[in-house]
């Protein structure tokens, strides 16, 4: 029987979250705490001529004002970013100075009084501009920046990284094609918009131990970076990650933690809190990529794809942070889930004077799929072929090779043909893609297919299981509870493995890097794979310890024993057993002799066999497995004013194994909503000077209740043999096909190829009325 | 969070409020009347509105009036939710129901919206079209005036003058109306444009918010829309010539797109409220 | 720093505290009274994460000065014990990260109290005051509609 897998046990964080008791970083309040506020740049690119803090210092309550040190530089892959701007600002909203004061309003008042004199520099407002000959260089010292291997900044350019894919023979691919299409696509950077704005508290204790509490998805990365950047001992950096109010990739980046550390140093180590305003969270903190793309596809008249030539220019903004890895992921996934023998792709990480970028749910996939899946629809139209049929003819199957020349097998890739079949059924595809429902109203369907892997080599996770005297178990994992419920799923996995009641499994929600084993980052949909495998190993470790003690009690070989039902019992005589609670702290024989001690299960897991990509060809194994899916959108479109309603949204995903049904549904529906929201409304709007207009929720266009469509979700279960119980990553798949599906439906509805996001009525009107330039 | 400090006063009578205002001015302060206060708090946070004294008018009985005899009287401190719950002025209700969101409408007041800094002030549209009147208080006493006389881009209040009430004839409340708010995208937020229309004596009257940097009602525009010599499209083209200021071009939409949406909306209005048919 | 003493009635208890006139109720609840269930999300009245109940109506506590709260009956999420809507949020998985949850629950609860017979349009009208970025709103829809149904049965019975 299934103890827990596939069911929907109550989330372990339920009661805390519905009573307001759940503590997020900003909720830790102390009378001793000082408060930090930032002064940020009002220019997108300028020399800092003078920073005058004289008036700010006069504000009552101010303890210290910190300016950006020229060094050290920070960055995940390329160290190109100062902690705060020191001599040059490179984006609007870039932190320039930080004020520490008794109360937030005092720090704010002082920050407002800091007078900055700028000398404006030429602004780069898109990746295309950045690559123009003679374009201003944003990083003159790019060639000398420290970096990891396998990232390739190009000296004296604005290119922070380039990933190339060269598969097959592209000229042969064109020779074999009967039909080609070419198109350009673009969109601007946008925001994660987690409801919790980023916050951190830093304190340096008298013994030199630095305590950082942060709204982070990557506490262990903060620990390592603090040690590296500030020359601290890793053992003296402790990061606490309480509940996090949404991340979506945005809280993978380390930014405000560095600033708060300098602030704490400046006030003798006192605890300081830095809570970003919504505006800072949107603009000063890292954002989601923008993209300029061009694509050319070739196919036979039967609809077999023969060649793809693609350029992806990733708008990384002022610094590279995760930009170089997003570029790598874009290249590795460049063709979507389709088998093409001849592929040439260049993905470039390009510096601009926009806010810098970090991970965003989908990690380049939704952005790239928007381009590729739109191109597939354009091709299908030219071939006069049903767009789903075109896709069916080309989908990845086991035995085929990815753009990075990895051969797929029945475990590493799910069953996309199944997903497409089911999608047809759910969407009533035979009805046709367009139905006229009134004189000026059309009901229109659009589709897309998707695949997703995680390019996260070297990622590992550890789990410790501590038994309590009553036989219940505490689970310690470094996964941060950012909303996806992974800790509840870990409890399920343990309940299943130990055949015990999930209510007797207690999960530690807050991460404390000092006492909780490391988990890579709570990102990339890999929590369940990494921590799940580590947990199963820890469970096996605990089982073997329990059997060892029980074997003495029951006087038999441990090999004859099983663990389950909170007992250790003899396999073929289950009535001969000892209770787990009687041995999990060792066992005392009637004569007073004791053996064993507290059972502590240990386990870890590292992704195996991933490789770096070859610089010339991109060959290499980029990720552990590919979750595939087929998605669709049905809209009602008004042909008079180009407004539309989202009626239905569909996701059919091969999830490997449904571990927690409602959590999986929640992840997929939430991700679909995010994908549709991005595609339909979200964007930063830049002036010519790259100033962001109105970075507020009020004008940003975030979905609200009632904007959402009806969701239709179906799961297939083709097991990933490495995954816990066969599960695949699923946190991002609901999102990644949505922009393309929406754009495909609207392109059909409006009768014009839409190539830009977001798809507002105005942008459709522009495309339709041929006034695209404005 | 507001980084500056201010005095807070909550008078319980009009006279007290007016006197407070003058007294604070004499002390060299820059007092403001505070009704719902949502704008003072949000603009204050970004220093777009700075004050050192606020006078909360919510405890003044006249500002909380609701009375209906031959005309409807609404106090300036009634919240937009109050206005909606009273169910006595459908046109105004339709306008305020689209302002901000339900929770915010529990705080935003009618007077606050009319006197707001934000450029939309959509509550004004039905009041302009129904020829409503407003009651103002100053140290010279109470004066009642047509809103059309005082509202030019914004309500022209003298320093220290207080908006107390809004009055509308029941007859005007009964007239057929149409109001539509178009946004850049989705269901909540500022308008791209909001167009309100009223049919009276066989003519269509129109007031618009979000098109220019202030709400307006324009007589020549209305004349054009009611010109029976012209086709519907010609009337609209003629009306567009009388837009009284630069059309907005901002995060919500470009000027050209606003015009496109305005044309569609005016077409809908003329279709729904008719141009020449009788009032029926 | 100029602060005045005010008395607020919160969750059935009168509390006196010193506040700046310019301080929002949200700030005082959190920083002075330790009631951190109401969350800062935008401080601009846009997101609803700070929603509390004031005299039976949902209120964005970032849009209200603490001094305005005198004489009013204030309820925060900390004053909510085992209500139907809380159970339904758990039952329907109507939260993920949980940050918007207290605000949503306060808004839902006020709706259920004020309009147990709320129509779908009215539910939408109320719920669109809050932003949830994790769910696709479906689970919240299920939770509030079930809680309303239960409230209705209770009134009918």
């Amino acid at each position: 029987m299934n103890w827990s897998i596939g069911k929907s046990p109550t989330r372990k964080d339920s009661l805390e979250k519905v009573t307001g008791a759940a503590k997020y970083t900003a909720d830790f309040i102390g009378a001793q705490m000082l408060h930090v506020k930032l002064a940020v740049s009002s220019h997108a690119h300028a020399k800092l001529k003078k920073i005058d803090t004289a008036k700010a210092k006069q504000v009552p309550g101010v303890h210290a004002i910190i300016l950006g040190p020229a060094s050290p530089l920070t960055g995940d892959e390329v160290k190109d970013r100062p902690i705060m701007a020191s001599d040059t600002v490179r984006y609007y909203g870039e932190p320039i100075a930080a004020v520490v004061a008794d109360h937030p309003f005092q720090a704010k008042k002082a920050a407002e009084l800091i007078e900055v004199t700028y000398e404006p520099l030429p602004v780069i407002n898109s990746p295309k501009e950045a690559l123009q000959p003679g374009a201003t260089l944003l990083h003159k010292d790019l060639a000398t920046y420290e970096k990891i291997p396998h990232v390739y900044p190009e000296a004296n350019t604005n290119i922070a990284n380039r990933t190339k894919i060269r598969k097959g023979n592209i000229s042969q691919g064109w020779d074999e094609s009967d039909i080609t299409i070419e198109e350009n696509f673009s969109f601007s950077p946008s925001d994660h918009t987690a409801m919790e704005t980023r916050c951190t508290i830093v304190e340096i204790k008298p013994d030199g131990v630095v305590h950082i509490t942060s709204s982070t998805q990557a506490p262990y990365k903060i620990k390592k970076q603090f040690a590296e950047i500030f020359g601290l001992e890793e053992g003296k950096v402790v990061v606490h990650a309480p509940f996090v109010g949404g991340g979506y990739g945005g809280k993978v980046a380390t930014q405000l933690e560095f600033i708060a550390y300098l602030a704490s140093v400046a006030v003798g180590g006192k605890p300081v809190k830095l809570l970003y305003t919504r505006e800072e969270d949107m603009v000063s903190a890292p954002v989601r990529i923008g993209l300029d793309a061009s694509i050319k596809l070739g196919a036979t008249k039967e609809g077999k794809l023969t060649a793809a030539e693609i350029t992806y220019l990733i708008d990384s903004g002022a610094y590279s942070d995760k930009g170089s890895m997003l570029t790598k992921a874009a290249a590795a996934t460049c063709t979507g889930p389709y088998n093409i023998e001849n592929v040439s792709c260049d993905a470039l990480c390009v510096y601009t004077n926009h806010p810098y970028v970090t991970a965003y749910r989908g990690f380049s996939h939704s952005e790239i799929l928007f381009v590729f899946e739109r191109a597939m629809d354009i091709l299908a139209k030219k071939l006069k072929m049903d767009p789903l049929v075109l896709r069916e003819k080309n989908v990845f199957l086991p035995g085929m090779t990815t753009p990075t020349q990895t051969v797929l097998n029945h475990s590493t890739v799910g069953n996309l043909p199944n997903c497409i079949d089911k999608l047809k059924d759910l969407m009533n595809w035979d009805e046709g893609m367009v139905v006229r429902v009134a004189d000026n109203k059309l009901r229109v369907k659009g589709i897309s297919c998707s695949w997703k892997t995680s390019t996260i080599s070297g990622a590992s996770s550890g789990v410790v299981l501590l038994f309590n005297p009553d036989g219940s178990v505490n689970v310690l994992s470094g996964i941060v509870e950012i909303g996806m419920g992974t800790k509840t799923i870990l409890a399920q996995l343990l309940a299943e493995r130990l055949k015990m009641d999930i209510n007797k499994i207690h999960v530690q929600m807050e991460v404390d890097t000092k006492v909780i084993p490391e988990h890579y980052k709570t990102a990339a949909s890999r929590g369940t794979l990494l921590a799940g495998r580590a947990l199963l190993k820890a469970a096996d470790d605990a089982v073997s310890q329990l059997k060892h003690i029980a074997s003495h009690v029951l006087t038999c070989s441990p090999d004859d024993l099983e663990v389950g039902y909170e007992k250790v019992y003899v396999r073929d005589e289950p009535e001969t057993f000892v209770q787990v609670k009687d041995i999990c702290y060792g066992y005392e024989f009637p004569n007073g002799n004791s053996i064993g001690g507290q059972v502590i299960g240990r386990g870890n897991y590292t992704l195996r066999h991933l490789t770096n990509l070859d610089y010339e060809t991109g060959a290499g194994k980029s990720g552990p497995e590919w979750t595939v899916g087929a998605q669709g959108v049905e809209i009602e479109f008004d042909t008079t004013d180009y407004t539309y309603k989202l009626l239905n949204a569909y996701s059919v995903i091969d999830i490997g194994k449904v571990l927690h049904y409602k959590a999986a549904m929640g992840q997929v529906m939430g991700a679909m909503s995010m994908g549709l929201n991005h595609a339909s409304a979200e964007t930063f709007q830049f002036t010519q000077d790259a100033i962001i207009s109105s970075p507020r929720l009020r004008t940003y266009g975030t979905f609200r209740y009632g904007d959402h469509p009806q969701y239709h979700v179906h799961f297939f279960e083709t097991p990933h043999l490495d995954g816990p119980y066969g599960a695949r990553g699923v946190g991002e798949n609901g999102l990644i096909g949505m922009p393309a599906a929406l754009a495909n439906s609207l392109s059909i509805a409006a009768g014009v190829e839409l190539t830009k996001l977001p798809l507002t009525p105005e942008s459709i009107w522009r495309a339709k009325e041929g006034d695209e330039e404005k | 969070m507001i980084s500056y400090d201010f005095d807070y006063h909550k008078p319980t009578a009009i006279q007290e409020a007016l006197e407070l205002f003058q007294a604070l001015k004499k002390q060299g302060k820059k007092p403001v009347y505070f009704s719902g206060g949502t704008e003072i708090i949000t603009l204050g946070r970004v220093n777009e509105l700075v004050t050192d004294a606020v006078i909360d008018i919510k405890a003044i009985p006249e500002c909380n009036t609701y009375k209906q005899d031959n005309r409807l009287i609404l106090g300036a401190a009634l919240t937009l939710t109050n206005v909606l719950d009273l169910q006595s002025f459908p046109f105004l209700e339709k306008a305020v129901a689209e302002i901000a969101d339900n929770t915010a409408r529990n705080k935003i007041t009618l007077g606050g919206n009319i006197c707001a800094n934000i450029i939309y002030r959509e509550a004004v549209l039905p009041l302009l079209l129904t020829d409503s009147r407003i009651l103002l208080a100053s140290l010279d006493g109470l004066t009642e005036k047509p809103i059309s006389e005082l509202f030019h881009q914004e309500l022209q209040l003298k320093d220290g003058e207080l908006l107390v009430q809004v009055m509308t004839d029941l007859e005007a409340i009964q007239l057929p109306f149409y109001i539509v708010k178009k946004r850049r995208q989705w269901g909540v937020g500022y308008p791209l444009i909001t167009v309100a229309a009223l049919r009276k004596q066989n003519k269509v009257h129109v007031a618009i918010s979000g098109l220019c940097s202030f709400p307006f009602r324009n007589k020549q525009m209305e004349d054009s829309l009611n010109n029976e010599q012209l086709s519907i499209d010609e009337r609209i083209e003629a009306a567009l010539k009388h837009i009284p200021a630069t059309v907005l071009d901002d995060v919500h939409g470009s000027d050209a797109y606003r015009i496109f949406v305005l044309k569609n909306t005016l077409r809908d209005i003329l279709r729904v409220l008719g141009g020449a048919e009788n009032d029926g | 720093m100029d602060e005045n003493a005010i008395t607020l009635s919160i969750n059935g208890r009168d509390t006196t505290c010193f506040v700046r006139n310019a301080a929002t109720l949200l700030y005082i609840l959190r920083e002075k009274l330790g009631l951190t269930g109401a969350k800062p999300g935008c401080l601009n009245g846009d997101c609803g994460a700070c929603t509390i109940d004031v005299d039976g109506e949902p209120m964005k506590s970032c849009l209200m000065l603490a001094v305005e709260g005198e004489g009013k009956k204030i309820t925060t999420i900390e004053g909510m014990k085992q209500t139907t809507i809380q159970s339904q949020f758990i039952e329907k998985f109507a939260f993920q990260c949980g940050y918007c949850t207290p605000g949503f629950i306060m808004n839902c609860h006020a709706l259920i109290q004020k309009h147990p017979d709320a129509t779908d349009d009215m539910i939408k009208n109320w719920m669109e005051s809050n932003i949830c970025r994790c769910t696709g709103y479906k689970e919240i829809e299920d939770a509030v509609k079930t809680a309303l149904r239960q409230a209705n049965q209770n009134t009918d019975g």
Side-chain angles (χ1 to χ4, degrees), chain A residues 179 299-305 376-394 429 433 447 748:
Chain A
I179 280 181
T300 65
K301 54 183 182 304
E302 292 78 27
K304 173 75 195 148
L305 291 167
M376 286 293 276
D377 258 37
I378 294 169
L379 180 64
K381 191 173 162 194
K382 200 162 177 186
L383 286 163
K384 299 190 170 61
M385 188 177 278
D386 180 323
L388 265 181
V389 171
L390 174 65
R391 284 166 173 84
E392 275 178 318
K393 284 175 186 277
N394 291 285
W429 193 248
M433 294 169 75
I447 49 95
I748 295 164

Side-chain angles (χ1 to χ4, degrees), chain A residues 9-11 14 17-19 23-24 26-27 29 103-105 191-193 195-196 244-246 248 278 360 482-483 660 662 666-667 669-670 673-674 677 682 698 702-705 708 711, chain C residues 1 20 27 30-31 36-37 39-42 44 46-47 77-78 86 89-91 93 95-99 101-102 105 123-124 127-131 133-139 141 145:
Chain A
T10 305
R11 288 177 62 122
S14 288
K17 285 187 173 172
V18 303
T19 56
K23 289 262 188 277
Y24 301 78
D27 297 338
I29 286 164
H103 298 285
F105 81 95
D191 190 46
H192 302 82
T193 322
M195 292 322 296
E196 177 203 31
V244 170
Y248 324 113
R278 176 55 64 185
Y360 188 102
I482 62 174
H660 187 297
K662 284 189 178 172
Q667 281 297 299
M669 291 190 292
S673 168
M674 254 185 148
N677 201 166
E682 293 180 48
R698 195 172 288 192
T702 318
F703 270 167
R704 289 166 189 269
Y705 181 106
H708 62 288
Y711 302 99
Chain C
M1 191 167 66
R20 290 170 64 225
Y27 181 84
R30 292 176 55 82
E31 300 288 330
T36 56
K39 304 296 183 204
C42 64
N44 203 49
D46 301 336
C47 76
I77 186 77
E78 288 86 353
Q86 285 169 301
F89 261 64
I90 295 175
E91 179 74 21
F93 287 73
F95 62 86
Q96 288 179 28
C97 83
Y99 198 80
T101 309
I105 286 177
I123 296 169
K124 176 180 179 308
M127 290 302 111
E128 66 188 15
S129 306
N130 299 57
I131 297 174
R133 187 71 164 164
C134 294
T135 74
Y137 293 106
K138 175 74 174 79
E139 300 93 329
E141 179 178 359
K145 287 186 176 170

Side-chain angles (χ1 to χ4, degrees), chain B residues 260-272:
Chain B
F260 168 75
V261 175
L262 177 62
K263 282 187 198 172
N264 284 333
T265 310
L266 290 174
R267 222 170 273 134
D268 288 344
I269 286 171
L270 291 177
R271 184 171 45 77
V272 174

Side-chain angles (χ1 to χ4, degrees), chain A residues 202-222:
Chain A
V202 176
E203 179 177 12
I204 307 161
K205 300 267 183 162
D207 57 4
V209 177
V210 181
H211 287 265
I212 303 133
T213 304
S214 191
S215 54
T216 178
Q217 296 174 247
Y220 298 89
K221 189 186 82 168
I222 294 177

Side-chain angles (χ1 to χ4, degrees), chain A residues 171-458:
Chain A
S171 58
Q172 191 184 325
W174 298 129
D175 289 346
E176 288 167 10
S177 66
D178 302 315
I179 280 181
T180 60
I181 59 114
E182 273 186 270
E183 192 53 89
N184 298 310
F185 297 89
S186 68
F187 51 86
S188 289
S190 54
D191 190 46
H192 302 82
T193 322
M195 292 322 296
E196 177 203 31
T197 58
R198 293 162 176 90
C199 183
T200 194
I201 300 164
V202 176
E203 179 177 12
I204 307 161
K205 300 267 183 162
D207 57 4
V209 177
V210 181
H211 287 265
I212 303 133
T213 304
S214 191
S215 54
T216 178
Q217 296 174 247
Y220 298 89
K221 189 186 82 168
I222 294 177
K223 172 174 149 181
K224 286 176 198 163
Q225 288 182 329
F226 263 59
E228 190 189 336
I229 304 258
F230 300 122
L232 303 166
E233 292 173 46
E234 286 189 2
K236 289 193 165 183
V237 180
V238 181
V239 184
H240 306 263
F243 283 117
V244 170
Y248 324 113
K251 289 170 181 167
V252 162
T254 319
Q255 183 195 40
L256 68 173
E257 295 86 352
F258 294 140
I259 300 172
Y261 172 74
L262 296 181
S264 182
V265 169
V267 294
K270 290 197 185 77
V272 301
K273 181 192 273 186
L274 173 51
L275 168 64
Y276 274 4
T277 62
R278 176 55 64 185
E279 289 83 349
E280 287 164 347
D281 200 67
M282 292 183 89
V283 169
S284 299
V287 304
R288 178 193 203 161
I289 61 168
L291 182 70
D292 284 342
S294 57
I295 182 166
K296 184 178 176 191
L297 290 183
T300 65
K301 54 183 182 304
E302 292 78 27
K304 173 75 195 148
L305 291 167
T306 55
E309 196 168 345
I310 311 167
T311 308
Y312 291 129
L313 307 180
I314 305 269
D315 184 347
S316 182
Y319 303 102
S320 63
D321 195 82
K322 276 272 149 301
S324 57
M325 290 297 105
L326 287 156
T327 304
K328 175 184 160 190
T333 193
C334 66
T335 60
Y338 306 108
N339 186 48
I340 308 176
E341 295 300 335
N342 310 295
V343 181
S344 176
C345 171
D346 277 59
L348 277 66
C349 178
V350 184
Y351 289 125
T352 67
N353 290 116
H354 291 164
Y356 70 98
V357 303
T358 190
Y360 188 102
R361 198 175 194 178
F363 210 74
S364 287
H365 286 69
S366 92
E367 294 85 344
I368 268 50
L369 285 170
F370 164 65
V371 173
F372 202 90
E373 289 289 303
R374 278 270 42 238
M376 286 293 276
D377 258 37
I378 294 169
L379 180 64
K381 191 173 162 194
K382 200 162 177 186
L383 286 163
K384 299 190 170 61
M385 188 177 278
D386 180 323
L388 265 181
V389 171
L390 174 65
R391 284 166 173 84
E392 275 178 318
K393 284 175 186 277
N394 291 285
V395 292
F396 267 124
L397 299 171
M400 294 174 173
T401 56
T402 69
T404 68
Q405 303 177 39
T406 301
V407 181
L408 299 167
N409 66 32
H410 284 277
S411 169
T412 53
V413 69
N415 191 326
L416 188 47
N418 270 354
C419 296
I420 292 176
D421 276 350
K422 184 68 189 178
L423 184 72
K424 280 185 187 169
D425 181 31
L426 288 177
M427 291 185 79
N428 191 15
W429 193 248
D430 293 340
E431 171 194 55
M433 294 169 75
V434 182
V435 176
R436 184 169 290 278
V437 289
D439 275 354
N440 61 337
K441 296 261 200 242
L442 303 176
R443 191 157 52 75
V444 186
K445 298 176 181 125
I447 49 95
S448 69
C449 292
S450 68
W451 72 335
K452 170 76 181 61
T453 193
S454 311
T455 42
I456 51 169
S457 55

